[in-house]
Amino acid sequence: MKLDVNMLRYLSKEDFRVLTAVEMGMRNHEIVPSELISRIAALKHGGTYKVMKNLLKHKLLHHDSSKYDGFRLTYLGYDFLAIKTLVNRGVFAAVGRQIGVGKESDIFEVATEDGTVLAMKLHRLGRVSFRAVKSKRDYLRHRNNFNWLYLSRLAALKEFAFMKVALGEHGFPVPNAVDCNRHCVIMSLVQGYPLVQVKQLQNPEPVFETIVGLIVRLAEHGLIHCDFNEFNLMIDDDEKITMIDFPQMVSVSHRNAQMYFDRDVECVFKFFRKRYNLSFHEYTVDADGEDVGTYESNRLCFSSISKDAIFLDKELAASGFSTKDQEVIEKFIEGAVEENNSDTDEETRDDECVSAINEQNIEGVGSLHLQDEDEQTIDCVVAGEDNDTEHDHQAGESSVPLT
Ligand code: ADP
Ligand code: MG
């Protein structure tokens, strides 16, 4: 998905207030009634309608009048809310080129004020699997319970918590987790390439050993990656490995843990055998009838690994990712849906949004430098308090004063 961050410079405080109002309304509504947006944003002289029109024009909102007149955020609208928050927090100051398109994410380079380049992962749960869930199940009946906004936020929170607490702080080779807001995770940029792009290795055996060793160490630590493959392992010029992509990780106490563990192991064996012609001491046959190695089978027997899972839940909860969050996201990943058990009625929840918007920090000007298509840095500023919506601006000019 194209992320035209240039547009950030045109957005005013009012634009962000209305975007935030729509975001808040989406807690209770898939499509937020225009009248409710206007009530939450509470701009003077009915100004909200004009702003909504502008946001629609820039594809930050989507209009829907099939049941009633209303709007929802687009991914772009949600991206802008997260980017603006992180820029204002001083986490980064520039957005650069796109470096990855995953199944359920877009990855961009971003740079801090002092020029350090980091990676920004924007989670897009729902882009693939959400539709798959929809077609497989009677999903529509429950549409208010699992919306992409909530799920993408949960996926980001989970990835951040695992990367920082469960893995990074225990010496696993993962990117350094820097910050997280909404569906956006900021982490260090890994040097090198995904293993899938590497045709030849100088030393395939030790690389293989390291990778298999990681699966075992993870299990000893109470975790299974669940998507452990050549797409989610990065390798640098010194053949050093870094693991990425954690939203689907489960605990070794998960009821399907054995199956997930074996699947991760099999992926690695198959890849190394096919790509690097490694042969293993023993073989067994998997469910598809293909040979897969059971290299040092004692070591890779899930039931014989001594696992330490108990402390993890506490550590993760302390980082803001609760056991309940884990349950919700696991259910989604497995394609299950559940009823909304909230006992607060819709009207009360809407009223809570109306009063809560003033607690949001929507004011403030952040400085954002952008990289254009030719990778030339363009300086710009995220519009804030005293800025007009309509600014004349020539692309490529170096700094835009906003008064
Ligand atoms: P998805 O969950 O959508 O598969 P990933 O986290 O696997 O997303 O990222 C997709 C791609 O983006 C990766 O294969 C990799 O090429 C790139 N990427 C992701 N994170 C980083 C990072 N921290 N540093 C460098 N490249 C990254
Ligand atoms: Mg991936």
Side-chain angles (χ1 to χ4, degrees):
M1 185 177 125
K2 188 150 170 53
L3 179 68
D4 183 7
V5 266
N6 269 303
M7 212 200 312
L8 264 171
R9 77 184 86 196
Y10 298 109
L11 298 181
S12 67
K13 181 187 84 176
E14 284 73 27
D15 290 322
F16 277 108
R17 190 169 170 97
V18 172
L19 271 185
T20 308
V22 178
E23 181 188 32
M24 295 175 101
M26 284 180 75
R27 291 179 195 165
N28 303 330
H29 306 266
E30 191 179 15
I31 304 293
V32 191
S34 303
E35 161 281 331
L36 178 62
I37 301 169
S38 172
R39 202 147 54 86
I40 300 173
L43 295 186
K44 283 189 195 116
H45 316 302
T48 305
Y49 287 90
K50 191 175 153 225
V51 174
M52 287 193 294
K53 233 173 108 183
N54 185 44
L55 295 173
L56 183 67
K57 192 175 93 191
H58 292 297
K59 298 190 165 59
L60 302 178
L61 292 182
H62 171 82
H63 184 227
D64 188 317
S65 55
S66 53
K67 292 205 192 91
Y68 47 80
D69 191 62
F71 292 85
R72 64 166 170 79
L73 282 179
T74 59
Y75 266 126
L76 192 63
Y78 203 41
D79 293 349
F80 277 22
L81 283 171
I83 289 171
K84 182 174 187 285
T85 303
L86 289 164
V87 167
N88 284 356
R89 244 187 235 167
V91 177
F92 62 88
V95 178
R97 65 192 176 99
Q98 182 155 12
I99 49 172
V101 187
K103 291 190 300 293
E104 291 176 326
S105 72
D106 288 306
I107 323 276
F108 293 84
E109 280 182 351
V110 294
T112 62
E113 204 63 67
D114 70 8
T116 310
V117 180
L118 302 169
M120 168 172 79
K121 178 166 177 177
L122 295 162
H123 283 262
R124 311 239 185 261
L125 236 74
R127 182 156 70 185
V128 178
S129 53
F130 210 34
R131 273 188 224 117
V133 170
K134 204 165 174 172
S135 60
K136 272 198 287 217
R137 293 179 168 266
D138 184 14
Y139 162 71
L140 284 171
R141 238 169 9 105
H142 307 273
R143 67 173 172 274
N144 286 329
N145 304 335
F146 280 100
N147 68 57
W148 56 266
L149 209 85
Y150 173 55
L151 286 162
S152 298
R153 184 174 65 74
L154 218 53
L157 183 61
K158 176 172 178 182
E159 177 148 60
F160 181 75
F162 273 65
M163 197 173 357
K164 188 176 170 63
V165 183
L167 302 168
E169 288 177 8
H170 292 275
F172 283 91
V174 297
N176 178 32
V178 176
D179 207 341
C180 172
N181 180 262
R182 296 179 171 87
H183 62 324
C184 177
V185 177
I186 307 294
M187 61 188 125
S188 60
L189 186 75
V190 180
Q191 300 303 323
Y193 317 89
L195 195 56
V196 67
Q197 290 174 13
V198 179
K199 299 290 169 229
Q200 270 190 326
L201 290 173
Q202 285 161 351
N203 303 299
E205 283 91 357
V207 173
F208 171 80
E209 281 279 342
T210 305
I211 291 175
V212 167
L214 271 174
I215 302 181
V216 174
R217 246 175 82 205
L218 279 174
E220 286 168 352
H221 187 61
L223 287 171
I224 303 167
H225 187 287
C226 291
D227 201 10
F228 198 90
N229 57 42
E230 60 276 20
F231 297 91
N232 291 327
L233 292 164
M234 307 281 289
I235 186 160
D236 70 8
D237 291 341
D238 299 327
E239 304 199 335
K240 183 176 161 287
I241 292 288
T242 307
M243 287 190 285
I244 57 167
D245 202 0
F246 315 110
Q248 66 294 313
M249 285 186 91
V250 299
S251 153
V252 286
S253 53
H254 189 281
R255 66 187 181 291
N256 295 326
Q258 166 104 46
M259 184 271 283
Y260 289 135
F261 178 87
D262 291 345
R263 195 176 65 185
D264 279 358
V265 171
E266 279 178 24
C267 269
V268 174
F269 271 86
K270 274 190 182 167
F271 180 74
F272 272 79
R273 211 156 52 91
K274 285 199 174 135
R275 174 70 62 91
Y276 307 117
N277 292 319
L278 277 202
S279 55
F280 306 107
H281 311 316
E282 306 171 42
Y283 292 99
T284 52
V285 172
D286 72 4
D288 309 328
E290 277 204 60
D291 278 352
V292 286
T294 52
Y295 184 80
E296 290 185 37
S297 51
N298 290 341
R299 209 171 130 222
L300 287 178
C301 175
F302 184 66
S303 54
S304 70
I305 294 176
S306 81
K307 311 166 195 81
D308 185 3
I310 303 121
F311 72 97
L312 254 183
D313 289 348
K314 269 195 197 144
E315 281 192 2
L316 288 169
S319 77
F321 185 77
S322 68
T323 317
K324 175 73 190 158
D325 290 334
Q326 171 73 356
E327 280 168 21
V328 171
I329 201 159
E330 271 180 18
K331 279 208 177 105
F332 173 72
I333 287 162
E334 289 170 8
V337 285
E338 69 174 14
E339 294 292 343
N340 185 348
N341 294 323
S342 168
D343 46 12
T344 322
D345 67 38
E346 193 172 286
E347 213 171 303
T348 313
R349 283 184 270 138
D350 286 348
D351 288 344
E352 282 166 6
C353 294
V354 173
S355 51
I357 192 159
N358 293 323
E359 290 159 24
Q360 302 270 323
N361 181 17
I362 299 167
E363 323 292 325
V365 181
S367 185
L368 179 71
H369 315 279
L370 306 172
Q371 230 168 26
D372 66 14
E373 297 279 282
D374 305 324
E375 296 185 31
Q376 279 171 341
T377 301
I378 305 167
D379 294 344
C380 91
V381 178
V382 181
E385 206 159 5
D386 301 320
N387 305 313
D388 258 332
T389 336
E390 319 287 339
H391 278 295
D392 281 330
H393 172 72
Q394 285 109 45
E397 75 187 0
S398 64
S399 188
V400 191
L402 291 175
T403 43

